Amino acid sequence: NDRQDQSGLYFEPAVLARGGLGAIADEQLKALLNQRPMTISHASQLEQERLAAVAKTLRGVDLVVVDRADAQALALTLGIDEDDRLRAYLSKELSSLNSGSHRRRGSPDVYIVEGDGDARSKQLESAAQDAAASPTILLFTLGSRLGVTLQRLLVDVHDAWRPTGFDPIVKGLVVHAHPEDSRAWAAVRNAFWHGAQSTLVALWLTYLPHRSPLDDERLLLETAAKRKMPKAVRSVLEPRLADLQANAATGAHVRPFWSSDGPPSLRRTSRYGDQLIDRVTLVAVGSAMQRSRLINRPGGGPFWYKFDVPKIFRSYFDGLIHASAMRWLQPREGWWGATDEDQKLLVVEAMNQAPGDWNLVLPEMLLASALGKVPEVMYEELLPAADRAMKSTMSPAAKAWVRLGLHLIDA
């Protein structure tokens, strides 16, 4: 997320630097140039042409400007503790973007800006005085959610160049942009409009809701913590709540699911492969669900689209995907079956589909129930199933989460 913002999901694209940031950027730019539109619609073809045009404009820059927060993330990832070494790294890696036909002089100079207000633009004054009349400047960020970092960098550059009387050509490169929808991303791109097109491109673009499913859980636990509860329940709730509160800004160190038997993993038969960890699977499923929301967004009519939860459970034979879908599901958008019996049957199916996954799916379904996502009629199967689990050979750690879920539903 934009590091000025203290809410929402968090990404750390800096880890890509370990594989050679320049090579990865160059490879992805080429992929953007060569990819085919997902549909044959006129709008899709225009978007593909825009992407190709923007990718070409990134070939060749004179200066690179980076925000201090992004620089620190890269420095921590790479183990670099000096600004000069970091500037040299970025200059070398991003010089690969100069490999096209519009090659400029050598590697670009890199400037790291920090602070507030005029302090940031003053750090670029020397560059403004020494640069060519209308240099090409690349604003480089690791991530973008609302576009705050990019907009600040854009203001910094124009403030620094105003006394020179020249207008620099400003371009933007984001490693991984994850706005809520295309309209939010278009608003950021508009700030980079130069000539006939925007000069901002994201190597990877993922649409995700601004809200975090971890925030939903945190707010629920904060409310529950104010009430009386058994000691056994509080011993699970309080550490989890403290963990969520301590990492509210990033979610970087919070295990995403109610699972104490080790991080859950995907099966080899999963549609997402078997290499994704639980955190990445959660984001992948969230992205797929958000894309479905955007595709089916009402165009002014009285439509109320819902996710077919039974189809999700039957199409993706994997408890980790089921848990991820329940985390992202909003109470008003879940369809759990046509009849009461269909809805209750879904609990039985989930319990028997993959017994090894029940330790994860059951606590997550109880949490979803406490958040108002599950129809009340399903409790006729869910609560007895939870009671049986508490008397079964389920691990003590898994039982602790089941106990918490049952208490939240009662509360």
Side-chain angles (χ1 to χ4, degrees):
N1 65 333
D2 290 340
R3 297 168 189 275
Q4 286 76 21
D5 190 273
Q6 295 299 305
S7 63
L9 291 171
Y10 177 82
F11 291 89
E12 193 48 89
V15 296
L16 290 173
R18 294 174 181 164
L21 184 61
I24 291 173
D26 195 56
E27 180 180 350
Q28 185 64 8
L29 281 175
K30 291 176 181 176
L32 291 176
L33 289 168
N34 295 326
Q35 72 178 359
R36 294 182 178 180
M38 296 183 65
T39 68
I40 58 174
S41 69
H42 181 62
S44 179
Q45 291 175 342
L46 289 178
E47 176 63 12
Q48 174 61 24
E49 293 173 3
R50 189 202 68 78
L51 270 176
V54 173
K56 289 178 181 178
T57 68
L58 293 176
R59 303 293 187 181
V61 296
D62 298 301
L63 303 172
V64 176
V65 182
V66 184
D67 186 84
R68 168 62 67 183
D70 284 299
Q72 287 177 335
L74 282 169
L76 287 172
T77 300
L78 298 168
I80 297 175
D81 55 3
E82 298 175 4
D83 277 0
D84 288 344
R85 291 179 57 201
L86 182 60
R87 290 190 189 97
Y89 169 83
L90 284 171
S91 180
K92 175 178 178 296
E93 293 296 314
L94 295 178
S95 66
S96 65
L97 302 179
N98 289 340
S99 61
S101 58
H102 302 289
R103 184 180 179 85
R104 303 279 177 144
R105 60 180 194 284
S107 300
D109 295 325
V110 177
Y111 288 82
I112 301 173
V113 296
E114 60 183 318
D116 298 317
D118 295 338
R120 297 169 64 91
S121 59
K122 286 182 179 179
Q123 294 160 24
L124 296 172
E125 285 183 354
S126 60
Q129 295 170 0
D130 298 338
S134 295
T136 300
I137 300 175
L138 178 67
L139 308 185
F140 176 77
T141 67
L142 292 170
S144 177
R145 187 169 71 92
L146 301 175
V148 176
T149 299
L150 285 167
Q151 290 168 344
R152 287 189 65 181
L153 291 175
L154 192 62
V155 171
D156 297 336
V157 167
H158 284 295
D159 284 349
W161 257 262
R162 184 178 293 116
T164 68
F166 298 107
D167 291 325
I169 300 172
V170 183
K171 304 174 182 180
L173 177 63
V174 184
V175 175
H176 185 188
H178 45 98
E180 187 164 54
D181 54 31
S182 57
R183 292 181 293 199
W185 180 237
V188 181
R189 284 201 335 238
N190 287 343
F192 283 80
W193 206 263
H194 181 81
Q197 64 182 8
S198 173
T199 56
L200 173 66
V201 66
L203 299 181
W204 284 272
L205 177 61
T206 303
Y207 296 127
L208 278 169
H210 283 170
R211 67 178 185 87
S212 167
L214 295 179
D215 280 341
D216 294 339
E217 179 192 351
R218 176 180 57 81
L219 292 171
L220 175 68
L221 296 186
E222 285 176 345
T223 301
K226 299 174 183 177
R227 304 186 180 192
K228 291 183 179 180
M229 65 184 70
K231 184 177 180 180
V233 174
R234 189 171 291 280
S235 66
V236 178
L237 184 148
E238 290 183 344
R240 175 65 176 179
L241 178 57
D243 204 14
L244 290 169
Q245 291 173 331
N247 297 278
T250 65
H253 304 289
V254 179
R255 292 180 63 176
F257 300 108
W258 281 10
S259 172
S260 295
D261 296 329
S265 58
L266 290 168
R267 284 193 174 76
R268 296 181 64 85
T269 55
S270 167
R271 286 279 297 273
Y272 287 88
D274 61 350
Q275 300 298 312
L276 302 188
I277 62 175
D278 51 357
R279 299 174 55 77
V280 181
T281 303
L282 177 65
V283 175
V285 172
S287 174
M289 292 178 69
Q290 181 69 353
R291 182 175 183 273
S292 182
R293 290 188 187 99
L294 298 177
I295 290 175
N296 296 288
R297 180 157 47 188
F303 301 107
W304 189 357
Y305 290 103
K306 288 177 173 283
F307 284 100
D308 187 334
V309 181
K311 185 177 180 181
I312 293 174
F313 273 59
R314 293 162 186 163
S315 298
Y316 299 93
F317 199 76
D318 200 298
L320 184 51
I321 295 178
H322 299 164
S324 298
M326 287 190 290
R327 283 282 181 160
W328 287 105
L329 194 70
Q330 297 180 35
R332 65 179 182 273
E333 63 180 5
W335 185 82
W336 295 80
T339 67
D340 290 354
E341 291 304 315
D342 290 339
Q343 294 172 13
K344 290 187 286 186
L345 181 62
L346 186 60
V347 177
V348 179
E349 288 185 13
M351 179 170 51
N352 296 321
Q353 188 179 59
D357 288 346
W358 191 232
N359 286 9
L360 170 65
V361 173
L362 174 58
E364 288 292 326
M365 192 173 285
L366 293 172
L367 173 61
S369 299
L371 289 168
K373 301 179 182 181
V374 177
E376 190 171 352
V377 69
M378 291 178 63
Y379 293 1
E380 294 180 24
E381 288 290 346
L382 181 60
L383 299 184
D387 288 336
R388 290 194 297 272
M390 293 299 294
K391 301 173 184 177
S392 70
T393 57
M394 181 180 284
S395 70
K399 288 181 179 179
W401 291 116
V402 173
R403 186 182 297 111
L404 174 59
L406 288 171
H407 174 80
L408 292 175
I409 291 174
D410 287 341

